Amino acid sequence: MKHFITVADRRNPSTRVPLVLGWAGMRGVLSLAVALSIPLTLENGEPFPHRSLILYITFIVILATLLVQGLSLPALIRWAKYPDYEDHIPEAEAESLIRKSLAQAALDYMQKHYKEGITDSFLLQNQKDIWQYQLDLPKCNTTPEVRKKYVAILHHQREILHQLNKNPRIDEEQIRNFHRQLNLEEEKWEVWEV
């Protein structure tokens, strides 16, 4: 199957993984179902020959495989010597790496495709400054305390929007657009908290 299914982990676990998986699999379910499906009597009304013996042997085989394979499974797992799959980089370091990579990619793309016109646009200049700041920081992970402060600032901005909404000269649709932006921004940082 490894030739058809590609996974993120490229390490080759050889044949030990399928062996342990097969050894740990459920035992006796099919044989028990077959044994229990044997009818009590034949078509002519006579009892099925050796039905009790078949059931008894089936239960013994199931019990033996459960005991033998169940008790030997820990030794087999130790023998297999699996690699350490918990070798991910720490969460804060990963977050910093991802943010810096995305910031660098965005700045490179911006420099290549939109050299002119960045300083004329509030959105592009603002984002450029944010991405550059992320690259300049030694670590760009955000602590839960900073996230709470930022969400509190967003709540304050929402209160200001409520006050501005009382002004009849401001279109309510514009207020709703800013509300949506604040909601999206707050949701983004609440997801990072989880």
Side-chain angles (χ1 to χ4, degrees), residues 1-2 7 9 11-25 27 73 76-77 79-85:
M1 294 299 287
K2 67 183 176 185
V7 293
D9 193 352
R11 290 174 284 207
N12 186 1
S14 72
T15 58
R16 294 179 181 200
V17 172
L19 177 67
V20 171
L21 287 176
W23 199 258
R27 298 284 165 240
L73 187 59
L76 184 67
I77 291 172
W79 169 80
K81 293 180 185 162
Y82 285 112
D84 182 17
Y85 290 108

Side-chain angles (χ1 to χ4, degrees), residues 133-150:
Y133 183 72
Q134 286 178 349
L135 286 176
D136 294 342
L137 279 177
K139 283 184 171 181
C140 61
N141 57 331
T142 310
T143 63
E145 294 81 26
V146 172
R147 288 186 189 122
K148 285 179 185 173
K149 289 177 186 176
Y150 187 61

